Amino acid sequence: MSDKRSMTRRLAIALTSVVALFWFVALGLGVYVMQDEFTEIFDSGVQETAERLLQIVANETTRDAPSGLAQASVTAPALNSQFLTYQVRDRDGRVLFDDGAPEPFAVPLATGFSQTPTHRIYTAGTTDGSLYVQVADAIEHRTEALMEGGTALLLPLLVLIPGSILAIVFVVRSTLSPVSQLRDDILTKDSGNLAPIDEATLPRELRAIARSVNLLLARLKACLEAEREFTSNSAHELRTPIAGALAQTQRLAREVPPAYQPRTAQIERALVHLSRLAEKLLQMSRAEAEIAISDEQHDLLPVLMVVMQDLERSALGANRLNVQVAKGTVLERPIRVDAFAIVLRNLLENALIHSPPGSRVDLHVDPMGIRVTNESAVVAEDVRANLTKRFVRGPTEASGSGLGLAIVERLVAQMQGQLLIASPARGKTQGFEVEVRL
């Protein structure tokens, strides 16, 4: 399954995006609320400072100047000029004294808050309007405090987002692991493995799928068994009557006048072809029954010699087979000898049938497997790619069923081997070569 269509990836991305979005929305709301609260706190502090400072200044002025006029000797508590600055002004706007801000603030002498581009200012005045105290708070300090608070909220998110991604991926993969298990179990099912899927280990949501798959596997298994049984029974039942008909035809060919012998020869060829087809169908049925693997190691070299001798005694393979066994070759595999014999016989028969009459067929044997080579014409690549399909034959006029390489491919797959087809043959300009690596 492609990563772009992976459920795990899509869920992880979606959940992480949603969580991150909510976090950033919460961060924005937090900063907005924090700004309002900071403004309220700072304004309250500025207002309280201005009002208390006004009381101090008014009391000092009253004691030192009965006439009500402010004197230069009046002092006030020093404030932290880094954050707050203040001015004491009379009703005409003159600055009587200040805390580092000699220039009058550019705001009206009216009780309440005013704001300049750089400061937030609160003005407090006496009831008779003779004195005003203005306390200014720099907006830069408020912005700095807001930025530091927002940063303090943002930094944990930068750590939590990657952590949440890992956590979400872990949780999603753990949650979806039964889906992956079910997928892997279904992928292993083929004509050789139709065992039902274990539903007990799956979550309740997936049991219905597993149950449906098991029902389908049961129906498929029944159909395949019926097909194999029909093929096997048909091949068995046909062998005896075909052999009898072939024997009668051969006897008849010797008794009929010469004028009828071409027809009897044609009948004999048809019966021979039918006999071979029945044999191939029987081999295909056995291949479909998964007969290749054995629990024990078997020496395959004696099997190879028996098949070679049998073919050399036939008219097809007489004086045409050349066997080359590499020195020190030991060919022992956990493979049933009858399955290996079917593979070897099909390869040699194909090589003999589809090569020029009288030409040589080479069989190379080494510890890696076997290689069969003949001297046929070169087979195109697009044709070679389809030769292992059932009833598919190359561009040849020789008789055949188109099942030989399909049977070989099926059995070699069961042997966990590799089937390699090449044309032209290795080191030649023509020929056809089939290698089985075991």
Side-chain angles (χ1 to χ4, degrees):
M1 184 178 294
S2 173
D3 287 342
K4 294 183 178 179
R5 298 182 178 273
S6 170
M7 293 175 61
T8 301
R9 180 177 178 179
R10 291 173 62 185
L11 282 174
I13 292 175
L15 291 176
T16 303
S17 301
V18 171
V19 171
L21 178 62
F22 279 118
W23 277 344
F24 282 112
V25 170
L27 174 63
L29 291 176
V31 171
Y32 176 78
V33 172
M34 191 164 53
Q35 181 182 15
D36 285 345
E37 293 298 324
F38 279 2
T39 300
E40 183 178 348
I41 293 172
F42 287 136
D43 285 354
S44 176
V46 171
Q47 181 178 352
E48 184 177 353
T49 300
E51 290 175 348
R52 288 180 180 270
L53 187 58
L54 177 63
Q55 293 177 0
I56 295 172
V57 171
N59 291 338
E60 292 292 334
T61 303
T62 301
R63 286 198 301 267
D64 295 342
S67 62
L69 297 176
Q71 301 296 321
S73 61
V74 176
T75 59
L79 301 178
N80 189 347
S81 60
Q82 182 180 1
F83 295 100
L84 297 177
T85 56
Y86 70 90
Q87 292 179 349
V88 178
R89 302 169 68 179
D90 59 15
R91 60 166 47 91
D92 296 327
R94 291 177 298 174
V95 177
L96 303 180
F97 54 93
D98 59 74
D99 183 24
E103 294 296 328
F105 294 135
V107 295
L109 293 175
T111 301
F113 283 100
S114 302
Q115 187 166 324
T116 67
T118 58
H119 288 80
R120 177 82 166 166
I121 302 171
Y122 182 79
T123 302
T126 59
T127 56
D128 60 359
S130 60
L131 289 175
Y132 292 93
V133 175
Q134 293 180 319
V135 179
D137 183 20
I139 295 178
E140 178 184 358
H141 299 152
R142 299 190 178 198
T143 304
E144 181 181 357
L146 183 62
M147 292 296 294
E148 290 178 354
T151 303
L153 293 176
L154 178 62
L155 288 179
L157 294 185
L158 299 180
V159 178
L160 287 174
I161 289 177
S164 66
I165 292 175
L166 297 178
I168 289 173
V169 170
F170 175 77
V171 172
V172 170
R173 285 183 176 177
S174 300
T175 305
L176 293 181
S177 59
V179 178
S180 300
Q181 177 187 347
L182 179 60
R183 177 201 62 191
D184 295 339
D185 289 343
I186 293 176
L187 287 176
T188 61
K189 304 304 176 184
D190 55 21
S191 59
N193 178 17
L194 296 177
I197 298 172
D198 186 8
E199 302 177 22
T201 60
L202 296 175
R204 182 176 62 253
E205 293 82 1
L206 298 179
R207 289 179 185 174
I209 299 176
R211 191 175 301 112
S212 299
V213 172
N214 287 338
L215 292 174
L216 181 60
L217 289 175
R219 294 179 60 184
L220 180 60
K221 184 177 182 180
C223 293
L224 289 176
E225 289 178 350
E227 178 186 355
R228 292 169 184 168
E229 185 177 357
F230 172 77
T231 303
S232 179
N233 291 339
S234 300
H236 275 293
E237 295 296 330
L238 286 174
R239 292 176 70 179
T240 300
I242 290 175
L246 181 60
Q248 293 296 329
T249 301
Q250 292 172 343
R251 181 178 178 181
L252 180 64
R254 291 192 295 268
E255 298 176 356
V256 298
Y260 295 99
Q261 287 182 356
R263 293 187 178 181
T264 56
Q266 184 177 3
I267 295 173
E268 182 180 0
R269 288 193 298 271
L271 289 174
V272 169
H273 175 72
L274 186 58
S275 176
R276 290 178 179 172
L277 179 59
E279 181 180 0
K280 297 300 180 185
L281 290 175
L282 182 59
Q283 291 178 357
M284 178 62 74
S285 176
R286 299 189 65 193
E288 294 289 346
E290 307 285 339
I291 66 167
I293 296 298
S294 174
D295 296 332
E296 301 177 357
Q297 295 279 341
H298 295 280
D299 187 0
L300 303 180
L301 287 180
V303 181
L304 184 144
M305 296 304 174
V306 170
V307 174
M308 291 288 299
Q309 293 172 4
D310 185 41
L311 285 175
E312 286 176 346
R313 287 194 295 266
S314 68
L316 181 63
N319 301 320
R320 295 183 59 189
L321 295 175
N322 176 38
V323 184
Q324 299 177 7
V325 181
K327 185 177 180 180
T329 296
V330 176
L331 204 60
E332 293 185 355
R333 301 288 191 277
I335 296 173
R336 294 175 62 94
V337 294
D338 53 345
F340 180 73
I342 292 174
V343 170
L344 182 60
R345 190 176 187 89
N346 275 283
L347 291 179
L348 292 175
E349 285 183 349
N350 278 355
L352 291 169
I353 292 173
H354 299 291
S355 59
S359 62
R360 188 183 66 177
V361 172
D362 296 323
L363 173 61
H364 302 268
V365 185
D366 57 40
M368 299 297 297
I370 60 176
R371 179 162 50 93
V372 178
T373 306
N374 69 358
E375 299 179 2
S376 68
V378 175
V379 179
E381 183 178 356
D382 57 338
V383 177
R384 294 199 308 269
N386 296 317
L387 288 179
T388 55
K389 296 180 180 179
R390 297 183 184 184
F391 303 106
V392 175
R393 304 180 63 217
T396 177
E397 297 181 357
S399 62
S401 61
L403 290 173
L405 286 179
I407 296 171
V408 170
E409 192 270 339
R410 181 68 180 176
L411 289 174
V412 170
Q414 296 173 28
M415 297 173 186
Q416 297 181 355
Q418 190 176 9
L419 180 66
L420 303 175
I421 300 176
S423 184
R426 187 182 308 177
K428 298 182 179 180
T429 59
Q430 61 178 7
F432 189 84
E433 177 181 291
V434 180
E435 182 177 2
V436 176
R437 294 181 180 176
L438 300 174

